[in-house]
């Protein structure tokens, strides 16, 4: 017997989770199957909508205004501006107090761990006190064992970027870290669980020790920025305690992989999935499918370590990600979508997949499926590949999320639209 | 007129650095100028094979004998650059038996230790060899890090008083009638260590004698003084695999042909190569089919290569030279021997010799002969000691190996670090400071990166060739930024930013021949990290227009 | 005569795909460097490692796996000793978005470390050997269960365990059953009885009474045999209820604790027996069913990764976890509808090894079909015991730190009965909360067959 549900979402990142949550709103039974962990853990946790136009103009102040000018085929153009707004509202509801930025249509400029600033539409509350558009002097704190964030360099860089405040950086020793190769979750755990640590002043809790270490270097700055390691499950408490002890605002600078803000976002989404009654199956891949002979998918096949188990639903949503999430794969001769072999347009010659400037207009960054306005992936003949399959997020092509800073927004908007359609159709 | 220096060496490859060291050790005053970084020409673009001589045992026995002799010397004086992997000449069922026999006999004639292994024995040595290999000849091939070797020669030359100027391009030869008395160079960032953002200058450097050791570029240098040097640059492709599928140099045992060698190199394996003449050593086509041929052909020997990840491919140009009148068509038939062209004898122009041809394994012997020649020209009687004196890093290696100190590092990181630094390990790694790993792929710590910076200034590519940082599977995606951070605050933010951009672009360019499968996914992840997360592609600090901060969300509800 | 003239070639031209494992059947000599090709350095594995989060000495799975392997050469044998800190929870496997064979790399490196670097005379070696060969000790204890239970509970024994062997003194040794599962099975009439009961059930269900397809071979593992025999009995009754004839093949330990301790030679011996016996059962038309998710994990994933006996793949392809099998082959949820059980509130913990098999949500879904049952998932954290890991004195504290999140969630849940499929998770759940812990099959048995039914 197949495992049966109404809507089956394949892929457990931001797009897949959004699709599952919106579909569940329609009162149908939804299952999300996710093989490995998603690229949410790579991502900074910021919800970008559009920071630069495809032509590279920006930073854009109002991303929604700029959406109307996007070229045909761009995922935002496919779903329409209104859907993007609705998707953001949907996200705001799920996120509640955990995210800020919903009070305005304008982008925020957030300092990055490389010392630049970047435009984004929603940001975790842990980042809120650090906005680069706020003219408040800033102390950045780095740690000698955390090589990804050099605070003095980032501070000089922010000043070079014209940020309207003075920034200073210090590099300190993180109390309680005993090996130079401790992982970020070790730092977070120390703070989360208030572990007892040894400092020059004797035994104290990790939060107190960190506050004391930083306090000694704080001058007249009104806010202190840390790399994003300030707790995982109890991040808000950690930050509040540090703010109390230091008497200034505390914020996190989003980091590259592995990213705690990304993990917190993931936890938030999976809690929401649980609350919405979405069934989650993880750790196993979808490897194949059967059609009903009439252009619809009858069931997909999940490989559970050798056992091929059929999963059946009325509607399917493909949210397997791009080249990084491995929803798009490549070989020397071709670029392909591995589960349904949906059409991915690409140059035949692999030397045409990229350009010489690393930050140039990179064709490979746009690899992905081409959807119709229903988000059904289209075949080479421009007809939908299957009548009951929609594709969302990174597996879609036609946009360069890295250059545009549009990754999370596209995932939300397409997930929202596809989830709603799939849910509606399945409930018929 | 007193000259700036006694000897001026042009070219910072293995030959140039070897000559600089040799002459400096003989007590001469030496200056070496190099257009880019050390090894930027041919030396940094080879597969790192330390020949046993086996490759030439049939076609060129004089070279073979020279190779085995130098092979032994380098193991002694450059132990920290050499890995004695051993080599195999592997015969597949379709490869000719006669050639196998000739190869074996040739090795014996040249005193190259050679032993025949059955197919099964060969696969015990190298489990990833194809199941159907017939047999193999085992020879003492090795792997050598050309970067480390060159840098060690340069450091030792400096210790003996030499001046080494990288990023100093020769723009003219100074010629007075029939006398060449120096060069004019253009410094990329001023003399001394390279610092980004320092404006360039030009400098005339005069010398009693000039040695043109620019290899494939020797013709271009000669032309500056209207000298005709007929180098015949020949390109060869090399493809770098992400991991070592083999720990032994694996050669295909057949007469000649492209794509017939796999060299384990540090953490990687390098597939080589082709041999095709080119006009301009700086401008020749690099094509995908060449890479495909490496993978497809060598998969016959090591099948796992077919599906394996490659992280880069690069091309090098051999500085082949053929004396006038021989007229060899196929570059593979041009001799690998080297030639000393004394322009006084040859062209009636005094004060300069050019050195062309030759091969990396015998760089020291070449340097010795040229140095002898220079000494003779300058009337200096001093003899060569480069065969006896260990290079910096290779002194007392056995002491280091016996000492079990891992400097607080995890065992494979300690092992690779000590291997790179050799006897300099305690000096560099013994630190009370936090010493986290900066490049995780290659296991390079902060202390080692900082040591390299102290040698080479803000040039992160120079740090790279000294440490291997950013040369692993992420190709710098995750560590370029962290390497650059180590420049600060010694170098300011703008210099650091520029150095980072240069390294990041360099890493990207070399990956273009590997962009499919895992490496394309890696490229996308790197791009996302640098563009999405850091917004380095639209860095307001580098933009022409200032950002209007006040127009954006101020966080106020 | 020169070397070349010797008859040196004994190869058989290959017609099948190249398999390096066949050259070196010894797993500790396997070259897994190519596995590093898949790593793109995202560190997702590290963020999933419950040990790296609490143990300062453990550098995380990325270093232990692809990085250490890539930096390694054939001749290097100094595996970093921190590999022994890995608990083999295998969470990194399902975390990795890029198919790096992390646990295989860890298992192989660990085996090499034990082989090359660990003194065979050390207390640690013998303690690990003893813990991983629980099966060898258990029969002894089971012969005199009362004495064993008494002795194991004595404080002097615990003290001896900790001081002499390095086994955590705070742990309670599992109780041994007075009758082992296999003894019960034999007394009950073995396979013949099961066939009868299956046929009766089929008749009752109006199905074909003779059905060669409805046959399973139960891999009970050590724990259901010697300790929680009620789990094994529940499995038999539930499967018979659906008309399945149960066979109990000869079997050795699945190997899970041996992998975790780098005792690959021991694991290989056990695996050889299991593959042989289970292959024979498959020949007889049976599917292999396990009630312990670590046992099914081992047969499905670790065997094919580490061994190459005839039939290894076949066994992997025909092994199922018990509830998974019923769900796919029967209308389990339909059958459960309208059933009831006495104990209705459960705090469910999905074992790490069940997550790896895509079974994390299964129990919650199945429980929701039983009337009145409220099961609450206590989150995706690791219980912290990971088989033998938490039994070691030096890991006890980290083991309890890892378990903290689960304990908290269990206490927050409105239940005082725990539910899980893994015997050692079950020990940890009981140890941390004092709750009674059940196996999902016991709840299914109560719902479908009833518990009063006590057999001779």
């Amino acid at each position: 017997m197949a495992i049966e549900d109404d809507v089956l979402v394949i892929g457990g990142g931001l797009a897949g989770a959004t699709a599952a949550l919106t579909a569940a709103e329609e009162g149908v039974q939804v299952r999300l199957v996710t093989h490995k962990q998603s690229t949410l853990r790579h991502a900074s946790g910021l919800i970008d909508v559009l920071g630069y136009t495809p032509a590279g103009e920006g930073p854009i102040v109002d991303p929604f205004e700029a959406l109307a000018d996007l070229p045909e085929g761009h995922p935002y153009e496919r779903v329409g501006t209104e859907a993007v707004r609705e998707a953001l509202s949907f996200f705001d509801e799920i996120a509640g107090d955990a995210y800020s930025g919903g009070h305005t249509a304008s982008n925020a400029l957030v300092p990055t761990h490389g010392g630049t600033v970047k435009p984004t539409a929603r940001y975790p509350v842990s980042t809120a006190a650090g906005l680069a558009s706020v003219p408040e002097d800033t102390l950045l704190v780095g740690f000698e064992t955390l090589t990804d964030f050099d605070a003095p360099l980032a501070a000089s860089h922010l000043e070079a970027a014209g940020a309207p405040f003075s920034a200073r950086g210090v590099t300190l020793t993180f109390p309680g870290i005993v090996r130079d190769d401790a992982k970020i979750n070790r730092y977070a755990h120390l703070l989360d669980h208030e572990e007892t640590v040894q400092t020059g002043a004797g035994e104290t809790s990790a939060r107190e020790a960190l506050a004391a270490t930083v306090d000694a270097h704080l001058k007249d700055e009104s806010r202190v920025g840390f790399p994003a390691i300030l707790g995982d499950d109890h991040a808000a408490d950690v930050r509040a305690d540090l703010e109390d002890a230091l008497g200034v605002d505390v914020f996190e600078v989003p980091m590259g992989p592995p990213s705690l803000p990304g993990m917190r976002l993931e936890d938030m989404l999976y809690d929401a999935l649980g609350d919405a009654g979405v069934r989650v199956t993880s750790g196993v891949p979808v490897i194949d499918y059967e059609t009903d002979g009439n252009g619809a998918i009858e069931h997909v096949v999940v490989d559970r370590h050798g056992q091929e188990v059929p999963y059946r639903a009325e509607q399917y949503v493909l949210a397997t990600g791009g080249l990084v999430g491995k929803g798009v794969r490549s070989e020397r001769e071709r670029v392909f979508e591995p589960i349904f072999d949906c059409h991915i347009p690409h140059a035949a010659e692999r030397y045409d997949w990229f350009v010489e400037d690393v930050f140039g207009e990179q064709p490979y960054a746009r690899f992905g499926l081409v959807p119709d306005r229903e988000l059904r992936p289209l075949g080479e003949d421009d007809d939908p590949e299957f009548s009951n399959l929609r594709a969302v997020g990174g597996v879609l092509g036609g946009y360069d999320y890295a250059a545009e800073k549009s990754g999370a927004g596209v995932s939300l908007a397409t997930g929202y639209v596809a989830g709603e359609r799939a849910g509606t159709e399945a409930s018929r | 007129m007193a000259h700036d220096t006694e000897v001026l060496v042009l070219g910072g490859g293995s030959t140039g650095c070897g000559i600089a060291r040799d002459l400096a050790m003989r007590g001469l005053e030496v200056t070496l100028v190099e257009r880019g970084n050390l090894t930027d020409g041919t030396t940094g673009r080879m597969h790192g094979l330390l020949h046993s001589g086996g490759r030439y045992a049939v076609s060129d026995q004089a070279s073979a004998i020279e190779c085995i002799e130098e092979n032994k010397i380098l193991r002694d004086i450059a132990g920290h650059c050499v890995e004695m992997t051993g080599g195999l000449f592997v015969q597949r069922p379709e490869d000719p038996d006669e050639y196998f026999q000739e190869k074996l006999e040739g090795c014996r004639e040249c005193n190259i230790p050679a032993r025949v292994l059955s197919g099964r024995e060969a696969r015990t040595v190298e489990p990833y060899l194809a199941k159907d290999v017939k047999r193999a000849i085992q020879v003492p091939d090795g792997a050598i890090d050309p970067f480390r070797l060159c840098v060690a020669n340069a450091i030792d030359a400096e210790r003996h008083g030499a001046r080494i100027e990288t990023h100093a391009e020769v723009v003219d030869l100074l010629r007075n009638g029939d006398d060449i008395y120096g060069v004019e160079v253009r410094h990329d960032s001023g003399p001394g260590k390279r610092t980004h953002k320092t404006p360039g200058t030009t400098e005339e450097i005069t010398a009693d004698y000039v040695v043109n050791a620019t290899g494939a570029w020797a013709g271009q240098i000669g032309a500056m003084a209207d000298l005709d040097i007929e180098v015949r640059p020949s390109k060869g492709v090399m493809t770098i695999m992400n991991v070592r599928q083999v720990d032994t140099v694996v050669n295909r045992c057949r007469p000649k042909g492209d794509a017939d060698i796999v060299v384990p190199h540090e953490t990687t394996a390098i597939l080589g190569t082709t041999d095709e003449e080119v006009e301009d050593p700086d401008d020749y086509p690099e094509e995908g089919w060449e890479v495909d041929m490496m993978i497809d052909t060598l998969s016959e020997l090591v099948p796992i290569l077919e599906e394996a990840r490659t992280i880069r491919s690069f091309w090098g140009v051999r500085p082949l030279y053929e004396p006038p009148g021989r007229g060899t068509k196929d570059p593979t038939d041009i001799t690998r021997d080297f030639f000393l062209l004394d322009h006084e004898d040859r062209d009636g122009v005094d004060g300069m010799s050019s050195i062309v041809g030759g091969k990396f394994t015998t760089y020291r012997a070449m340097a010795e002969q040229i140095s002898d020649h220079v000494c003779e020209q300058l009337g200096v009687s001093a003899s060569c000691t480069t065969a006896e004196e260990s290079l910096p890093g290779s002194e007392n290696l056995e002491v280091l190996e016996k000492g079990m100190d891992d400097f607080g590092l995890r065992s494979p990181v300690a092992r690779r670090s000590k291997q790179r630094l050799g006897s300099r390990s305690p000096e560099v790694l013994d630190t009370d400071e936090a010493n986290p790993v900066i490049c995780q792929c290659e296991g390079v710590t902060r202390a080692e990166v900082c040591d390299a910076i102290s040698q080479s200034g803000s040039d992160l590519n120079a740090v790279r060739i000294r440490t291997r940082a950013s040369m692993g599977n992420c190709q710098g995606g995750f560590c370029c930024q962290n390497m650059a951070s180590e420049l600060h605050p010694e170098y300011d933010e703008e210099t650091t930013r520029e150095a980072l951009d240069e390294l990041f672009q360099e890493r990207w360019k070399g990956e273009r021949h590997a962009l499919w499968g895992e490496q394309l996914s890696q490229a996308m992840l790197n791009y996302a990290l640098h563009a999405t997360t850091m917004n380095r592609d639209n860095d307001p600090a580098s933009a022409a227009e200032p950002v209007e901060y006040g127009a954006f969300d101020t966080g106020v509800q | 005569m020169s070397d070349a003239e010797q008859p040196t070639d004994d190869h058989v031209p290959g017609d099948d795909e190249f398999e390096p494992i066949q050259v070196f059947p010894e797993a500790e000599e396997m070259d897994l460097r190519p596995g590093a090709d898949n790593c793109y350095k995202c560190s997702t594995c590290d963020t999933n490692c419950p040990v790296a989060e609490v143990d300062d000495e453990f550098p995380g799975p990325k270093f232990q796996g692809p990085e250490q392997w890539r930096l390694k050469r054939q001749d290097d044998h100094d595996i970093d000793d921190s590999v022994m800190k890995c608990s083999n929870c295998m969470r990194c496997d399902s975390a990795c978005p890029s198919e790096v064979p992390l646990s295989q790399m860890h298992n192989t490196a660990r085996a090499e470390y034990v082989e090359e670097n660990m003194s065979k005379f050390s207390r640690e070696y013998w303690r690990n050997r003893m813990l991983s060969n629980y099966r060898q000790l258990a029969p002894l204890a089971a012969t005199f269960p009362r004495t064993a239970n008494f002795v194991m509970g004595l404080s002097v024994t615990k003290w001896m365990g900790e001081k002499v062997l390095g086994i955590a003194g705070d742990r309670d040794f599992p109780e041994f059953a007075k009758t082992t599962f296999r003894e019960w099975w034999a007394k009950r009439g073995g396979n013949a009885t099961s066939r009868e009961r299956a046929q009766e059930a089929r008749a009752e269900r109006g199905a074909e009474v003779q059905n060669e397809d409805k046959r399973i071979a139960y891999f009970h593992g050590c724990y259901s045999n010697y300790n929680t025999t009620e789990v094994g009995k529940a499995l038999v009754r539930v499967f018979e209820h659906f008309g399945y004839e149960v066979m109990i093949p000869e079997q050795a330990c699945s190997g899970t604790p041996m992998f975790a301790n780098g005792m690959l030679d021991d694991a290989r011996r056990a695996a050889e027996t299991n593959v042989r016996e289970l292959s024979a059962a498959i020949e007889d038309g049976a599917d292999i069913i396990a009630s312990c998710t670590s046992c099914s994990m081992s047969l499905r994933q670790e065997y094919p990764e580490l061994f190459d006996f005839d039939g290894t793949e076949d066994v992997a392809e025909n092994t199922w976890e018990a509830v998974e099998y019923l769900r796919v082959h029967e209308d389990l949820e339909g059958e459960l509808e309208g059933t009831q059980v006495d104990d209705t509130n459960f705090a469910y913990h999905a074992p790490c090894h069940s997550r790896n098999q895509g079974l994390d949500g299964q129990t919650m879904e199945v429980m929701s079909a039983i009337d009145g049952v409220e099961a609450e998932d206590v989150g995706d954290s690791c219980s912290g015991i990971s088989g033998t890991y938490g039994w070691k004195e030096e890991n006890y504290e980290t083991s309890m730190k890892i378990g903290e999140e689960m304990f908290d969630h269990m206490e927050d849940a409105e239940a005082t009965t725990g539910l899980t499929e893994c015997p050692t998770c079950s020990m940890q759940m009981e140890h941390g909360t004092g709750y009674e812990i059940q196996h999902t099959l016991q709840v299914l048995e109560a719902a479908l067959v009833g518990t009063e039914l006590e057999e001779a």
Side-chain angles (χ1 to χ4, degrees), chain B residues 216-503:
Chain B
W217 288 264
Q220 295 178 5
I221 294 287
M224 293 175 184
D226 299 322
L227 302 171
D228 202 11
I229 304 168
E230 306 84 2
V231 276
R232 292 180 59 179
S234 150
K235 71 166 179 173
V237 64
M238 279 143 283
T239 293
I240 312 183
M241 309 310 292
N242 176 47
V243 298
R244 287 165 66 130
Q245 286 82 9
V246 294
D247 294 275
T248 309
V249 175
V250 173
N251 302 273
R252 181 83 176 257
C253 192
R254 61 181 178 194
K256 78 179 175 190
D258 291 332
D260 65 351
I261 186 166
V262 185
V263 183
H265 179 73
E266 303 288 316
T267 48
T268 70
I270 299 182
L271 317 184
T273 180
T274 47
D275 198 343
E276 193 185 334
E277 197 159 345
V278 297
E279 285 286 312
D280 181 346
D282 286 316
D283 184 19
Y284 49 85
E286 301 175 346
E287 289 171 83
W289 65 264
E290 299 174 272
V291 177
D292 290 345
M293 182 173 74
M294 290 305 112
I295 297 168
D296 296 339
T297 308
L298 282 162
S299 298
E300 295 169 11
L301 275 187
V302 184
I304 195 175
L305 293 174
E306 184 68 35
E307 296 297 321
R309 172 175 179 176
T310 89
I311 48 180
R312 285 171 95 82
S313 283
F314 61 91
W315 278 253
V317 279
R318 299 176 188 82
L320 298 184
Y321 175 82
E322 194 169 63
R326 288 199 193 167
T328 308
K329 290 261 159 47
D330 184 342
T332 58
D333 293 331
I334 298 179
T335 176
R336 264 49 178 169
D337 214 350
F338 77 93
F339 297 87
L340 173 64
L341 312 179
D342 184 327
H343 295 293
E344 188 182 6
D345 299 347
R346 188 174 173 271
D347 309 293
V349 177
D350 207 4
M352 180 166 96
S353 285
S354 293
I355 172 89
V356 286
K359 56 200 160 300
F360 178 80
T361 300
T362 59
Y363 88 96
R364 195 211 57 84
M366 284 159 61
E368 180 176 346
Q369 289 184 44
I370 293 143
S371 299
D372 286 347
H373 176 77
V374 172
C375 286
E376 195 185 309
Q377 297 296 309
L378 297 179
V380 177
S381 61
S383 55
C384 175
T385 53
T386 57
E388 292 84 40
E389 296 282 329
S390 289
L391 284 160
S394 288
E395 308 103 337
N396 303 317
L397 275 182
E398 45 308 333
V399 177
L400 180 76
E401 269 155 32
K402 277 193 207 120
M404 295 293 282
D405 195 352
D406 59 5
F407 308 103
L409 303 172
R410 307 275 181 195
S411 63
V413 176
R415 186 177 266 274
R416 296 284 84 85
S417 301
K418 289 199 289 190
Q419 174 210 326
R420 287 188 294 263
L421 290 161
S423 45
R424 296 188 60 244
S425 300
E427 172 193 333
V428 176
L429 299 175
D430 208 354
T431 168
D432 292 333
E433 308 277 306
N435 190 22
V437 171
I438 297 287
C439 166
Q440 299 184 335
C441 302
E442 295 292 325
V444 186
T445 62
R446 172 178 290 158
E448 194 179 342
V449 168
C450 290
D451 171 64
I453 290 171
S454 73
Q455 291 174 23
S456 59
S458 73
D459 190 334
L460 293 175
N461 278 306
V463 172
R464 171 176 66 77
I465 65 168
R466 282 163 172 77
T467 61
R468 291 192 58 78
S470 78
M471 291 169 87
N473 42 339
C474 82
Q475 287 289 292
F478 282 78
C479 66
C480 280
Q481 165 87 3
N482 304 348
M483 289 167 71
S485 297
E486 297 304 327
L487 294 171
H488 187 78
E490 188 186 341
Y491 297 94
D492 65 15
E493 187 277 327
E494 195 183 2
T495 307
T496 302
R497 190 180 345 133
E498 182 134 315
L500 167 61
D501 287 342
E502 184 182 74
L503 176 64

Side-chain angles (χ1 to χ4, degrees), chain A residues 49-50 60-66 85 88 101-108 120-122, chain B residues 551-553 556:
Chain A
V49 170
L50 192 71
I60 293 168
V61 175
D62 184 340
F64 299 100
E65 243 174 45
R85 285 185 202 275
L88 264 284
H103 59 276
T104 171
S106 300
N107 273 325
T120 191
R122 300 286 186 274
Chain B
F552 289 83
D553 174 12
V556 181

Side-chain angles (χ1 to χ4, degrees), chain C residues 82-325:
Chain C
S82 55
V83 75
M84 296 307 288
K85 294 277 181 186
C86 162
S87 72
N88 201 33
C89 71
M90 304 168 84
R91 291 173 83 90
C92 45
D93 275 353
S94 51
C96 174
S98 196
E99 297 142 354
V100 178
L102 285 141
S103 67
Q104 188 186 13
M105 289 175 141
H106 299 160
N107 275 329
T108 309
R110 188 161 39 232
E112 187 171 330
Y113 176 82
V114 170
E115 184 62 32
E116 303 271 345
N117 303 67
M118 194 189 264
S119 161
K120 303 298 176 291
F121 302 104
S122 68
R123 178 181 90 151
E124 193 186 1
Y125 178 80
W126 284 104
R127 189 268 322 269
N128 291 358
R129 195 105 202 246
M130 196 187 95
L131 282 173
S132 54
N133 284 282
Y134 170 73
R135 170 135 198 148
Q136 308 295 325
L137 298 178
L140 253 170
T143 313
F144 307 103
R146 286 195 183 84
T147 319
N149 291 337
F150 174 71
V151 173
M152 292 299 200
L154 284 178
S155 59
V156 65
T157 312
K158 293 184 172 195
W159 182 85
M160 284 285 287
E162 179 151 324
K163 293 300 165 212
V164 180
L165 285 167
I167 293 172
D170 287 321
R171 295 253 176 227
D172 297 315
F173 280 95
E175 275 207 26
F176 290 94
K178 297 179 181 68
T179 310
T180 67
F181 169 75
R182 291 185 79 94
E183 285 165 0
W184 169 83
W185 172 255
K187 221 182 275 176
R188 187 181 186 254
N191 176 244
T193 302
S194 183
R195 185 178 307 140
E196 258 170 50
R197 301 215 172 169
Q199 286 174 354
E200 282 165 28
R202 285 177 212 148
E204 210 169 295
R205 304 171 83 86
E208 199 71 38
V209 172
Q210 295 301 326
N211 188 342
E212 295 291 301
D213 291 341
K214 296 203 102 176
R215 183 176 286 170
I216 63 148
Y218 176 32
F219 188 86
H220 48 67
C222 309
Y223 208 71
S224 293
N225 188 36
Y226 294 113
N227 304 92
T228 53
T229 54
E230 58 279 10
V231 173
K233 294 175 192 169
L235 180 136
V236 170
R237 290 174 188 142
V238 168
F239 273 80
E240 285 174 355
H241 171 81
F242 281 100
Y244 286 91
E245 167 193 343
V246 179
M247 298 164 32
I248 313 285
E250 286 300 314
Q251 53 193 273
C253 169
S254 70
T256 302
M258 297 157 183
F259 302 137
N261 286 287
M263 306 289 173
L264 270 195
D265 283 339
D266 293 343
R268 182 177 301 106
R269 273 192 292 278
E272 196 168 10
T273 304
N274 289 334
V275 170
R276 185 183 61 237
E277 296 297 331
L278 299 178
S279 296
I282 294 167
E283 284 284 302
D284 290 341
D287 287 318
I288 313 301
I289 305 296
S291 53
C292 161
T293 44
S294 296
C295 291
S296 60
M297 186 74 207
S298 178
L299 298 176
R300 284 169 162 193
Q301 179 177 328
E302 282 156 327
Y303 280 21
E305 279 182 355
L306 300 170
F307 309 123
D308 194 31
F309 308 114
D310 274 348
T312 307
E313 291 288 341
D314 206 25
V315 168
E317 280 163 21
N318 288 286
T319 297
W320 299 75
E321 188 272 337
V323 181
E324 172 189 35
Y325 188 83

Side-chain angles (χ1 to χ4, degrees), chain C residues 25-72:
Chain C
E26 307 301 311
E28 52 270 38
E29 298 199 12
M30 271 165 52
D31 183 356
L32 292 179
R33 285 176 293 182
D37 274 0
N38 279 314
C39 179
Y40 53 40
K41 317 299 281 191
C42 69
S43 299
T44 301
C45 53
D46 287 343
T47 64
N48 280 271
C49 177
V51 180
E53 185 173 324
V54 296
D55 188 341
D56 290 313
E57 292 305 314
F58 190 64
K62 176 162 64 98
F63 176 81
Q64 290 296 353
E67 281 174 4
Q68 168 148 272
W69 274 97
R70 189 172 178 279
L71 290 168
K72 190 175 146 44

